[in-house]
Amino acid sequence: MSAEWLIDFLRQRLQRQGAESLARQLYRLLRELIRAGQLAGGAPLPASRAMAAELALGRNTILNAYEQLGAEGYLESRHGSGTYVAALFSPHASPPQRAQQSPGLSQRGQRVSGHCTLPTGLAGAFAPGTPELKQFPHAQWQRCLQNHIQRPQLDHLHYRHDGGLPELKRSLSQYLYLSRSVRCQPEQIVIIQGAQQGLELLARLLADPGDAAWVEDPGYSGAQAALRASELDIVPIPVDAQGMAPTPAHQAAPPRLIYITPSHQYPTGVVMSLARRLALLQLAKQHDSWIIEDDYDSEFRYSTHPIASLQGLADSERVIYLGTFSKVMFPALGLGYLILPEELVEPFRRVQARLYREGNYQVQAALADFIEQGHFARHIKHMRELYQLRQQLLRGTLQRALGDALPLSAGEAGLHLVAQLPAGFDEEELSQAAARQQLWLRPLAKHFIGRPDRSGLVLGYAGVDEQELHAAALKLAALLETRWK
């Protein structure tokens, strides 16, 4: 398709007075052409200035559409050359070329694989999302676990399709009501094997390919990957001081799914205001959207009691609550839970049992005992005090070394702080230099889908002891000072 034909095609189909924004229309039309093979892999697209002039649109409108398509893998930029349709959409790609990209994968497999990038430095100084493991009550946990391994109930060893151990679901419903104001019956809980499996189930069962899914921008890349793997249309919604902030243009095209972290937004740490929560509930009720509330680390709140859940406010049953034990216990446990409206429980239970098999019931039974015997609540209390101490240590060390040159987020909850860097700062180069010293810095830019509107670092402080954290903070300060001179 020549540039002239493409411009004419778009000019005829853009609705100037439509409810959908022009950037979204342009993104959708170009994506359809690429997926239909009308714009083949390697085909150049008009420069943003030229297309803006031909279509009488603002250049930012063109850039927003191009950036979204690039983020989803449909377009690629070549430095000094321009913007092109991604090579994987070429109908003439030879088998050797395809094998070089990802041997044996389908085109869908290549797209899914491309979205599943993995961070380096999963543990160590500044790795975000890593809990303290040395001070976990291992002896108490092992006693609970050994009790069910040494004297097993035979039904715990068989195939199960109950959506999880009833005793664990009862313990969870009581704990979540008291700690997070979550309202549910035990029967509404489905035990899953971690947040990623839960997100995949939600995307598969509640949305169709091409349906819109709102996600926070910046936000949790694991959720973005899970929703993209189900071929949903990811719509990044900016985050401000009150949480997710959809514009009137966003609200004019309501989504099927809305993924949020309202009690402690990841990664910025802001708390969604009550007005925004109520507005989001009203939108979901009005348009039959589903809200996925991810409450990943809200037990660790330092200045106030944990914020009440969005699910507890809902009277329309449009909220699904997602939680795991990865941060409050340890990641390898591999257990989480969904709290579902009653009408969704049966299909979710059945699909999970058929496609994934249910998690280890002996481990679930041990976890139920761990909660009932009070070990779980005591561990959370201890970790809350420890993490607050470590955050204060990190904050104080950086303050003494750098003064006010490195602003930090409020840190009212969670396992990390966000450090603000000057605009245009090379986060990636700093991260690479830090990695050579075994410091695992996560650039804030990696959490954006669109163009980052700020520079910064996500600094985890929970998973290393005070001595190591202090030494790491001094190394970080020294790295920053050399780049600010």
XYZ file of all heavy atoms in Angstrom, residues 112 115-119 194-201 203 215-216 218-230 234 259 261 266-267 292 294 296 322 327 442 446-449:
349
model
N 3.676 -13.236 22.144
C 3.607 -13.504 23.580
C 4.997 -13.520 24.189
O 5.256 -12.921 25.228
C 2.878 -14.839 23.843
C 2.983 -15.218 25.322
C 1.409 -14.732 23.437
N 6.470 -10.133 24.726
C 5.920 -9.378 25.856
C 6.465 -9.873 27.194
O 6.346 -9.173 28.199
C 4.394 -9.485 25.877
C 3.730 -8.881 24.669
N 4.171 -7.722 24.086
C 2.650 -9.292 23.950
C 3.384 -7.440 23.059
N 2.471 -8.362 22.951
N 7.013 -11.092 27.206
C 7.424 -11.700 28.479
C 8.909 -11.472 28.741
O 9.695 -12.422 28.845
C 7.086 -13.195 28.482
S 5.315 -13.525 28.463
N 9.301 -10.215 28.811
C 10.669 -9.900 29.195
C 10.817 -10.071 30.699
O 9.882 -9.845 31.463
C 11.018 -8.460 28.802
O 10.069 -7.568 29.412
C 10.954 -8.281 27.292
N 11.994 -10.495 31.120
C 12.236 -10.775 32.530
C 13.279 -9.812 33.080
O 14.284 -9.532 32.419
C 12.719 -12.218 32.723
C 11.731 -13.305 32.276
C 12.369 -14.680 32.429
C 10.437 -13.229 33.095
N 13.078 -9.306 34.293
C 14.060 -8.400 34.883
C 15.301 -9.150 35.330
O 15.258 -10.351 35.616
C 13.311 -7.809 36.089
C 12.329 -8.878 36.470
C 11.914 -9.530 35.173
N -0.814 -18.221 42.020
C -0.129 -16.952 41.834
C -0.917 -15.971 40.997
O -1.884 -16.314 40.301
N -0.482 -14.698 41.058
C -1.196 -13.612 40.397
C -1.219 -13.778 38.884
O -2.232 -13.457 38.235
C -0.557 -12.273 40.767
N -0.133 -14.260 38.289
C -0.101 -14.357 36.830
C -1.125 -15.352 36.308
O -1.780 -15.103 35.300
C 1.309 -14.735 36.357
C 2.358 -13.672 36.629
C 2.032 -12.333 36.006
O 2.067 -11.312 36.659
N 1.721 -12.325 34.733
N -1.299 -16.472 37.009
C -2.330 -17.414 36.589
C -3.715 -16.782 36.746
O -4.582 -16.961 35.889
C -2.258 -18.700 37.406
C -3.221 -19.778 36.909
C -3.387 -20.923 37.888
O -4.093 -20.819 38.862
N -2.692 -22.012 37.597
N -3.907 -16.052 37.831
C -5.184 -15.385 38.030
C -5.494 -14.389 36.933
O -6.622 -14.327 36.417
N -4.499 -13.596 36.534
C -4.706 -12.618 35.466
C -5.007 -13.304 34.139
O -5.846 -12.838 33.360
C -3.467 -11.733 35.341
C -3.270 -10.726 36.486
C -1.848 -10.170 36.470
C -4.282 -9.592 36.384
N -4.332 -14.419 33.877
C -4.600 -15.150 32.642
C -6.020 -15.716 32.633
O -6.724 -15.639 31.616
C -3.578 -16.275 32.460
C -3.709 -16.992 31.133
C -2.642 -18.041 30.913
O -1.745 -18.167 31.766
O -2.708 -18.742 29.885
N -6.461 -16.265 33.750
C -7.836 -16.758 33.838
C -8.842 -15.632 33.615
O -9.834 -15.787 32.885
C -8.075 -17.396 35.205
C -7.645 -18.844 35.404
C -7.671 -19.207 36.880
C -8.541 -19.785 34.602
N -8.448 -12.765 32.024
C -8.440 -12.303 30.641
C -9.135 -13.302 29.721
O -9.874 -12.916 28.809
C -7.003 -12.056 30.185
N -5.149 -0.222 31.795
C -4.102 -0.499 32.774
C -3.475 0.823 33.199
O -3.488 1.805 32.454
C -3.011 -1.440 32.218
C -3.585 -2.798 31.864
C -2.319 -0.826 31.016
N -2.928 0.854 34.405
C -2.273 2.051 34.910
C -0.968 2.286 34.155
O -0.258 1.341 33.812
C -1.979 1.897 36.401
C -3.229 1.705 37.239
C -2.947 1.118 38.612
O -2.070 0.229 38.700
O -3.591 1.537 39.577
N 2.368 4.786 34.702
C 3.110 3.536 34.768
C 2.366 2.478 35.582
O 1.499 2.818 36.391
C 4.413 3.940 35.461
C 4.008 5.076 36.354
C 2.975 5.829 35.565
N 2.734 1.220 35.370
C 2.035 0.161 36.062
C 2.840 -1.121 36.103
O 4.025 -1.156 35.741
N 2.166 -2.187 36.522
C 2.795 -3.483 36.735
C 2.963 -4.206 35.404
O 1.972 -4.551 34.737
C 1.943 -4.304 37.702
C 2.388 -5.727 37.898
C 3.721 -6.045 38.116
C 1.461 -6.766 37.874
C 4.126 -7.352 38.297
C 1.850 -8.077 38.066
C 3.187 -8.366 38.263
O 3.583 -9.665 38.433
N 4.210 -4.460 35.003
C 4.472 -5.059 33.699
C 3.967 -6.493 33.611
O 3.654 -6.981 32.523
C 5.973 -5.007 33.389
O 6.722 -5.651 34.399
N 3.881 -7.203 34.742
C 3.351 -8.564 34.711
C 1.896 -8.604 34.287
O 1.481 -9.508 33.549
N 1.105 -7.633 34.739
C -0.293 -7.553 34.314
C -0.384 -7.205 32.838
O -1.201 -7.773 32.097
C -1.038 -6.524 35.159
N 0.455 -6.273 32.400
C 0.461 -5.917 30.982
C 0.764 -7.139 30.118
O 0.100 -7.373 29.101
C 1.495 -4.812 30.739
C 1.227 -3.519 31.481
C 2.431 -2.600 31.524
O 3.412 -2.794 30.792
N 2.394 -1.588 32.371
N 1.747 -7.942 30.533
C 2.117 -9.126 29.754
C 0.982 -10.140 29.708
O 0.698 -10.730 28.657
C 3.375 -9.764 30.353
N 0.314 -10.369 30.838
C -0.765 -11.357 30.882
C -1.930 -10.943 29.995
O -2.518 -11.767 29.278
C -1.236 -11.544 32.326
N -2.280 -9.659 30.011
C -3.410 -9.184 29.210
C -3.053 -9.179 27.726
O -3.877 -9.512 26.876
C -3.824 -7.796 29.676
C -4.316 -7.717 31.136
C -4.594 -6.279 31.537
C -5.555 -8.573 31.342
N -1.820 -8.810 27.406
C -1.406 -8.840 26.005
C -1.343 -10.258 25.475
O -1.653 -10.508 24.306
C -0.033 -8.180 25.865
C -0.086 -6.661 25.866
C 1.300 -6.080 25.828
N 1.265 -4.655 25.577
C 2.234 -3.819 25.896
N 3.326 -4.281 26.496
N 2.140 -2.539 25.628
N -0.931 -11.212 26.312
C -0.869 -12.609 25.870
C -2.242 -13.126 25.465
O -2.347 -14.043 24.652
C -0.279 -13.481 26.976
N -3.301 -12.540 26.028
C -4.667 -12.904 25.642
C -5.188 -12.045 24.505
O -6.382 -12.063 24.199
C -5.597 -12.778 26.858
O -5.252 -13.735 27.844
N -4.619 -3.154 24.908
C -4.161 -2.497 26.122
C -4.278 -0.980 25.967
O -3.726 -0.396 25.025
C -2.702 -2.869 26.434
C -2.558 -4.390 26.514
C -2.245 -2.217 27.722
C -3.396 -5.037 27.570
N -7.640 -2.919 35.118
C -6.687 -3.452 36.102
C -6.119 -2.296 36.911
O -5.557 -1.352 36.350
C -5.559 -4.211 35.404
C -4.454 -4.609 36.363
C -4.552 -5.773 37.119
C -3.334 -3.804 36.543
C -3.555 -6.134 38.017
C -2.327 -4.151 37.441
C -2.458 -5.311 38.173
O -1.473 -5.649 39.073
N -4.280 -1.021 40.969
C -3.696 -1.285 42.290
C -4.053 -0.081 43.167
O -3.192 0.759 43.440
C -2.170 -1.477 42.188
O -1.584 -0.358 41.492
C -1.833 -2.751 41.438
N 1.205 0.574 41.999
C 2.550 0.128 41.616
C 2.914 0.718 40.261
O 2.160 0.558 39.305
C 2.601 -1.400 41.519
C 4.016 -1.898 41.312
C 4.865 -2.063 42.397
C 4.503 -2.145 40.038
C 6.175 -2.491 42.213
C 5.808 -2.564 39.849
C 6.627 -2.734 40.940
O 7.936 -3.155 40.757
N 4.027 1.487 40.169
C 5.064 1.643 41.187
C 5.036 2.956 41.958
O 5.865 3.158 42.832
C 6.333 1.582 40.332
C 5.935 2.276 39.064
C 4.494 1.909 38.821
N -10.410 -5.347 38.054
C -9.509 -6.293 38.717
C -8.705 -5.500 39.736
O -7.858 -4.683 39.368
C -8.574 -6.976 37.707
C -9.385 -7.681 36.615
C -7.651 -7.967 38.417
C -8.537 -8.168 35.451
N -5.917 -5.485 42.285
C -4.721 -6.217 42.715
C -4.222 -5.570 44.002
O -3.802 -4.418 44.010
C -3.659 -6.148 41.621
C -2.461 -7.053 41.913
O -2.338 -7.537 43.056
O -1.640 -7.264 41.001
N -1.530 -6.175 46.093
C -0.327 -7.006 46.162
C 0.511 -6.821 47.417
O 1.190 -7.740 47.836
C 0.532 -6.781 44.921
C 1.236 -5.438 44.918
C 2.583 -5.350 45.229
C 0.544 -4.273 44.633
C 3.226 -4.131 45.253
C 1.183 -3.058 44.653
C 2.522 -2.988 44.965
O 3.148 -1.777 45.000
N -7.878 -9.669 43.657
C -6.762 -10.564 43.387
C -5.705 -10.361 44.458
O -5.268 -9.233 44.705
C -6.184 -10.262 42.002
C -4.844 -10.898 41.624
C -4.963 -12.416 41.541
C -4.354 -10.333 40.292
N 4.411 -11.752 48.672
C 5.088 -10.698 49.425
C 4.965 -10.910 50.924
O 5.898 -10.607 51.672
C 4.503 -9.332 49.053
C 4.525 -9.003 47.568
C 5.926 -8.868 47.035
C 5.922 -8.371 45.595
N 5.339 -9.326 44.638
N 15.870 -0.610 38.996
C 14.788 -0.760 38.024
C 14.371 0.625 37.524
O 13.778 1.405 38.265
C 13.601 -1.469 38.677
C 12.513 -1.931 37.703
C 12.974 -3.093 36.855
N 13.547 -4.170 37.648
C 12.844 -5.095 38.305
N 11.524 -5.058 38.283
N 13.450 -6.048 38.968
N 10.663 1.651 32.544
C 10.260 0.298 32.141
C 8.822 -0.017 32.532
O 8.257 -1.015 32.077
C 11.212 -0.729 32.745
C 12.618 -0.703 32.148
C 13.452 -1.849 32.654
C 14.842 -1.842 32.029
N 14.792 -2.095 30.576
N 8.229 0.790 33.387
C 6.853 0.555 33.814
C 5.834 1.341 32.991
O 4.632 1.207 33.221
C 6.702 0.897 35.297
C 7.517 0.020 36.196
N 7.088 -1.233 36.580
C 8.730 0.180 36.757
C 8.005 -1.790 37.357
N 9.013 -0.955 37.473
N 6.301 2.157 32.062
C 5.406 2.909 31.192
C 5.129 2.134 29.919
O 6.008 1.451 29.381
C 6.026 4.257 30.818
C 5.941 5.308 31.893
C 6.934 5.420 32.847
C 4.869 6.179 31.943
C 6.876 6.388 33.834
C 4.789 7.146 32.932
C 5.785 7.259 33.872
N 3.908 2.268 29.417
C 3.575 1.728 28.106
C 3.806 2.794 27.047
O 4.423 2.562 26.021
C 2.111 1.243 28.073
C 1.915 0.079 29.037
C 1.710 0.840 26.661
C 0.505 -0.406 29.123
